[in-house]
Amino acid sequence: MTAPGEMQRREVRERLNAMPKEKQIAAVHSLDPSILDAVLSAPRVLVDIPSDVLDMAESEMVKKLYGDEQSVLADLDSARAGTARSLSPPSSPGFARPNCAACGGAMWI
């Protein structure tokens, strides 16, 4: 049994595959949700569209679906990187307490 909507997606893929490359690329660049769904839900071997165009479509779909979340994650990554830099031990020797039994010599002062 075919999943709901799969016949529609298959029909869209078949029509796209029958188009000249320029029209295929234009159709994908239109970012029409039904076209993106059809080309991104199938294995790439079933879609006769250049990989770079599919990569762009996938990127745009992810931005459309998860743009706000991606922004928050980027902010968190930036904050984490800043925190990691500020917590890094000094690079000059002599600041470690090599004989500290409590921290195994890893304590920085």
Side-chain angles (χ1 to χ4, degrees), residues 23-98:
K23 286 191 176 190
Q24 284 179 341
I25 293 169
V28 173
H29 278 285
S30 74
L31 301 178
D32 180 301
S34 62
I35 292 174
L36 293 180
D37 185 37
V39 298
L40 296 176
S41 66
R44 288 196 175 193
V45 70
L46 297 178
V47 183
D48 188 27
I49 296 175
S51 288
D52 60 327
V53 175
L54 290 175
D55 291 341
M56 178 281 308
E58 186 173 40
S59 175
E60 289 300 318
M61 181 67 102
V62 168
K63 280 184 206 173
K64 190 176 199 176
L65 293 174
Y66 305 109
D68 294 338
E69 289 87 347
Q70 284 185 318
S71 175
V72 169
L73 289 175
D75 291 345
L76 289 173
D77 281 344
S78 176
R80 183 179 52 83
T83 302
R85 279 193 302 277
S86 67
L87 295 177
S88 296
S91 58
S92 56
F95 287 99
R97 298 181 73 188

Side-chain angles (χ1 to χ4, degrees), residues 6 9-17 38 41-42 47:
E6 181 53 35
R9 289 188 293 271
R10 179 180 172 191
E11 182 179 345
V12 170
R13 285 191 302 270
E14 287 173 352
R15 287 182 181 248
L16 282 170
N17 288 340
S41 66
V47 183

